[in-house]
Amino acid sequence: MSSPTIRKIIHVDMDAFYASVEQLDHPEWRGKPLVVGGNAARGVISAASYEARKYGVYSAMPSVLAARKCPQLIFAPARFDRYREISGQIREIFHEYTDLVEPLSLDEAFMDVTENKMGLKSAILIAKQIRQKIKERTGLNASAGVSYNKFLAKIASDLNKPNGQAVILPEEAEEFLEKLPIKKFFGIGKVTAEKMSGLGIHTGKELKQFSLQYLTRKFGKSGIHYFNIVRGIHLSAVQPDRIRKSLSAENTFANDLSATEDLLLALKPISDELIRRIKKSGIKGRTITLKIKFSDFTQQTRSKTQEQYPDEENIWEIAKELLLQEPFENSIRLLGLGISNLNSVEEHQHFGEQLKIPFEE
């Protein structure tokens, strides 16, 4: 029997994407601490430039706190149409190499280049070419990680940020993971990392010492995932990009969130963006759906259907109600909000026969 093909996976992650776009379009802001979203008096930050991060300013932070940490901070209003425009240019580059592209958000995606359109054997070379093309066509920097599965490629992309890339080879994986702090494991959020710390698990080597039965007992189904990933086993395939047909908005956070106050602060701009899109499109929907993606990449949706089309205020109230419906056992890396159950004319024009919300990634 022939041995199974070792996959070649690339994870590309744009460097401080929203903030970098603003600095690209506003030369006077380059090299200065800048955040997207909120203002000095209220709101929550959507993204922070690397200059702002030096002051301890990060996404999902209340604007008032950010302004206190960095008095000279520049607050730029979010321009999601512009971010989507550039994201589209970047994805066109990805598709020059492969159609196996799985976006995680506007600024990051997985690619399977085991078989690629260029006929190149080196995934490292492909990642380098992609980063060069992104720089040439958009003026922005990207980091990349290369490995034989998505989990390791994602970790690798963070090793040499910003504007760098790294590779984790199959023969290096287990030794690398043994030395890696648990908080650096892709998919293990702050809450889970703290729980593991309480069990004496601080590194991959310590995690590896526990049996599958023990981890399952302590972490449920996620225990199986933790048992596998510390051994470099992650069989999830790259899911190709699909045409998105639903009206929705979402955000992937730089740091996983768990506190209710932080989640509410993060959800408000998502709700505002969905309302903006509803106004722009002129469509209405009776069902509001909240999408939650946890730090271990499991996913949950919560929905509520109204008798009448909800107005702007009701959309936000329903969003809060769905978020607070029941407590979460894990930290959260992404929140999304969408509408469905549309009026029949617009539903036919915009969504065809599909009623569920396959949120934009």
Side-chain angles (χ1 to χ4, degrees), residues 26-43:
H26 301 86
E28 69 275 17
W29 291 346
R30 295 174 190 172
K32 298 179 180 180
L34 174 145
V35 294
V36 174
N39 56 59
R42 59 178 296 178

Side-chain angles (χ1 to χ4, degrees), residues 124-261:
I124 298 172
L125 176 60
I126 292 173
K128 184 177 180 180
Q129 287 186 4
I130 287 173
R131 291 175 53 240
Q132 287 176 337
K133 288 183 179 181
I134 290 173
K135 182 67 173 180
E136 291 167 1
R137 297 183 195 178
T138 71
L140 299 174
N141 292 325
S143 296
V146 180
S147 197
Y148 62 92
N149 65 37
K150 293 197 297 186
F151 169 71
L152 289 167
K154 170 69 173 172
I155 291 177
S157 68
D158 199 43
L159 294 178
N160 291 320
K161 264 187 166 292
N163 195 27
Q165 72 179 58
V167 59
I168 301 175
L169 300 172
E171 60 269 23
E172 301 170 341
E174 285 204 56
E175 183 179 354
F176 171 84
L177 290 168
E178 286 182 358
K179 297 177 181 178
L180 194 68
I182 284 298
K183 63 182 180 180
K184 295 286 188 180
F185 272 62
F186 173 46
I188 294 183
K190 182 179 179 181
V191 174
T192 302
E194 289 176 352
K195 184 175 180 179
M196 287 188 174
S197 178
L199 298 171
I201 303 172
H202 305 282
T203 65
K205 185 175 183 180
E206 290 164 339
L207 175 60
K208 203 173 180 181
Q209 294 173 356
F210 290 90
S211 68
L212 176 60
Q213 291 78 8
Y214 179 85
L215 293 176
T216 304
R217 188 167 67 250
K218 290 293 183 180
F219 300 99
K221 291 182 179 179
S222 295
I224 302 172
H225 175 67
Y226 303 147
F227 181 84
N228 285 330
I229 59 173
V230 76
R231 291 164 173 78
I233 301 169
H234 187 248
L235 303 179
S236 176
V238 171
Q239 300 295 323
D241 192 9
R242 293 169 291 182
I243 297 173
R244 302 299 180 179
K245 297 180 179 180
S246 295
L247 191 60
S248 60
E250 66 179 40
N251 190 23
T252 302
F253 312 122
N255 299 297
D256 297 335
L257 304 179
S258 55
T260 300
E261 181 181 354

Side-chain angles (χ1 to χ4, degrees), residues 38-327:
N39 56 59
R42 59 178 296 178
V44 65
I45 291 167
S46 297
S49 69
Y50 283 101
E51 295 86 357
R53 295 179 192 184
K54 293 178 182 178
Y55 291 86
V57 175
Y58 295 94
S59 65
M61 176 179 287
S63 301
V64 174
L65 176 59
R68 199 155 55 234
K69 286 177 173 286
C70 180
Q72 68 270 38
L73 194 62
I74 298 168
F75 288 86
R79 299 181 298 149
F80 287 101
D81 286 342
R82 176 61 170 151
Y83 309 148
R84 282 192 293 272
E85 175 190 352
I86 295 182
S87 179
Q89 296 173 14
I90 294 167
R91 290 186 190 178
E92 287 177 1
I93 296 171
F94 297 161
H95 283 279
E96 291 176 11
Y97 292 85
T98 178
D99 288 328
L100 295 178
V101 178
E102 180 185 347
L104 295 178
S105 59
L106 289 177
D107 61 341
E108 61 175 317
F110 290 114
M111 285 162 279
D112 188 330
V113 296
T114 311
E115 302 290 336
N116 59 85
K117 298 177 181 179
M118 301 293 189
L120 299 173
K121 294 183 179 180
S122 171
I124 298 172
L125 176 60
I126 292 173
K128 184 177 180 180
Q129 287 186 4
I130 287 173
R131 291 175 53 240
Q132 287 176 337
K133 288 183 179 181
I134 290 173
K135 182 67 173 180
E136 291 167 1
R137 297 183 195 178
T138 71
L140 299 174
N141 292 325
S143 296
V146 180
S147 197
Y148 62 92
N149 65 37
K150 293 197 297 186
F151 169 71
L152 289 167
K154 170 69 173 172
I155 291 177
S157 68
D158 199 43
L159 294 178
N160 291 320
K161 264 187 166 292
N163 195 27
Q165 72 179 58
V167 59
I168 301 175
L169 300 172
E171 60 269 23
E172 301 170 341
E174 285 204 56
E175 183 179 354
F176 171 84
L177 290 168
E178 286 182 358
K179 297 177 181 178
L180 194 68
I182 284 298
K183 63 182 180 180
K184 295 286 188 180
F185 272 62
F186 173 46
I188 294 183
K190 182 179 179 181
V191 174
T192 302
E194 289 176 352
K195 184 175 180 179
M196 287 188 174
S197 178
L199 298 171
I201 303 172
H202 305 282
T203 65
K205 185 175 183 180
E206 290 164 339
L207 175 60
K208 203 173 180 181
Q209 294 173 356
F210 290 90
S211 68
L212 176 60
Q213 291 78 8
Y214 179 85
L215 293 176
T216 304
R217 188 167 67 250
K218 290 293 183 180
F219 300 99
K221 291 182 179 179
S222 295
I224 302 172
H225 175 67
Y226 303 147
F227 181 84
N228 285 330
I229 59 173
V230 76
R231 291 164 173 78
I233 301 169
H234 187 248
L235 303 179
S236 176
V238 171
Q239 300 295 323
D241 192 9
R242 293 169 291 182
I243 297 173
R244 302 299 180 179
K245 297 180 179 180
S246 295
L247 191 60
S248 60
E250 66 179 40
N251 190 23
T252 302
F253 312 122
N255 299 297
D256 297 335
L257 304 179
S258 55
T260 300
E261 181 181 354
D262 292 340
L263 290 167
L264 285 169
L265 283 171
L267 183 61
K268 186 58 168 69
I270 298 172
S271 175
D272 291 343
E273 174 62 15
L274 176 63
I275 291 169
R276 187 192 69 79
R277 296 182 188 183
I278 291 171
K279 286 181 178 179
K280 185 176 180 180
S281 66
I283 66 175
K284 296 180 179 180
R286 292 192 297 113
T287 299
I288 305 297
T289 299
L290 175 69
K291 172 187 175 183
I292 309 113
K293 185 177 285 186
F294 298 100
S295 57
D296 62 1
F297 268 68
T298 56
Q299 192 167 295
Q300 181 186 119
T301 58
R302 300 173 177 179
S303 299
K304 183 173 183 178
T305 300
Q306 302 285 86
E307 289 296 324
Q308 304 294 329
Y309 297 117
D311 58 22
E312 294 178 26
E313 184 178 345
N314 283 340
I315 288 175
W316 169 234
E317 291 302 319
I318 293 169
K320 289 194 294 183
E321 179 184 335
L322 292 172
L323 183 71
L324 302 174
Q325 198 172 76
E326 59 181 276

